[in-house]
Amino acid sequence: MKSKTQFISLCFLLPLFILQACGQNTKKQTKSTSMENNIITKSGNPYYSNTDTTKLNVSDAEWKKVLPADVYAVMREADTERPFTGKYWNTDEKGTYYCASCGNKLFRSTAKFSSSCGWPSFFEQDDKKSIVFKEDNSIGMERIEALCGRCGGHLGHLFDDGPAPTGKRYCMNSIALDFVPDSK
């Protein structure tokens, strides 16, 4: 009977061991909320806060430790998720969008619009300090990169083809955003 128990344990543990040996992260990044203080934090990320607006100066090595690999690739290496694959590109739920790296408040859903480009699009940012910009000529064309004003993480790009009243289109990567519905 002991060998049967050991065999069953091995069947459950072996896949976890293989994933860890291959470098796969078996722990999920989780969000916890404290409704009393209206604070959102991410377990394992000491830089995440939706109430602290202090500018962060964190090394990429440190970000690599606290961010999931896919979030790190977009936010620290300026990768781009494929169009029509992100969780927020086609949603219209009311709430607030925050930076997925640091929790900085970026957009209200009232500024979101359907641009049919495959990424979530907004016509204005929440606060003029919440997003900063820099010139981006990385793919042989002139674009304006949108970065989190708190942590400097890559969010997406800004274009001049949005709706009134601003005429702007903040074309963001869903993976660079966290969304909190108004009901919370």
Side-chain angles (χ1 to χ4, degrees):
M1 196 64 151
K2 187 176 180 183
S3 64
K4 185 177 180 182
T5 304
Q6 289 174 335
F7 176 75
I8 291 171
S9 296
L10 183 62
C11 289
F12 285 107
L13 295 176
L14 187 58
L16 290 175
F17 175 75
I18 291 170
L19 285 174
Q20 288 177 340
C22 294
Q24 298 295 317
N25 185 358
T26 57
K27 294 180 183 177
K28 286 193 169 193
Q29 188 88 2
T30 58
K31 244 191 251 188
S32 60
T33 60
S34 170
M35 294 311 290
E36 308 83 47
N37 299 323
N38 192 31
I39 295 173
I40 301 166
T41 60
K42 281 192 176 182
S43 298
N45 183 348
Y47 310 109
Y48 195 95
S49 170
N50 73 332
T51 58
D52 186 357
T53 57
T54 306
K55 190 137 175 90
L56 294 172
N57 187 15
V58 179
S59 71
D60 280 343
E62 182 62 22
W63 282 122
K64 197 166 201 159
K65 291 179 190 175
V66 299
L67 296 177
D70 51 355
V71 174
Y72 179 85
V74 169
M75 302 218 61
R76 305 316 310 171
E77 297 175 333
D79 201 357
T80 301
E81 66 190 2
R82 290 175 311 179
F84 306 104
T85 62
K87 56 189 169 184
Y88 303 126
W89 80 270
N90 196 25
T91 63
D92 60 0
E93 191 173 2
K94 300 300 177 213
T96 305
Y97 292 86
Y98 297 89
C99 172
S101 287
C102 72
N104 189 31
K105 186 177 178 183
L106 302 172
F107 301 102
R108 290 285 304 147
S109 60
T110 52
K112 190 171 187 287
F113 69 97
S114 178
S115 67
S116 301
C117 68
W119 292 278
S121 297
F122 303 86
F123 60 82
E124 71 182 343
Q125 60 198 63
D126 180 67
D127 177 286
K128 60 181 174 176
K129 293 180 182 176
S130 63
I131 299 174
V132 296
F133 307 95
K134 78 174 193 180
E135 199 174 291
D136 176 9
N137 299 313
S138 63
I139 61 170
M141 64 185 279
E142 290 182 22
R143 297 184 297 172
I144 299 172
E145 183 179 11
L147 305 162
C148 174
R150 180 169 183 244
C151 72
H154 173 79
L155 301 168
H157 290 88
L158 178 66
F159 300 98
D160 288 325
D161 60 0
T166 65
K168 302 292 183 189
R169 176 172 55 98
Y170 294 75
C171 185
M172 304 289 102
N173 289 288
S174 286
I175 200 165
L177 305 173
D178 281 337
F179 177 74
V180 178
D182 281 344
S183 60
K184 291 192 178 184

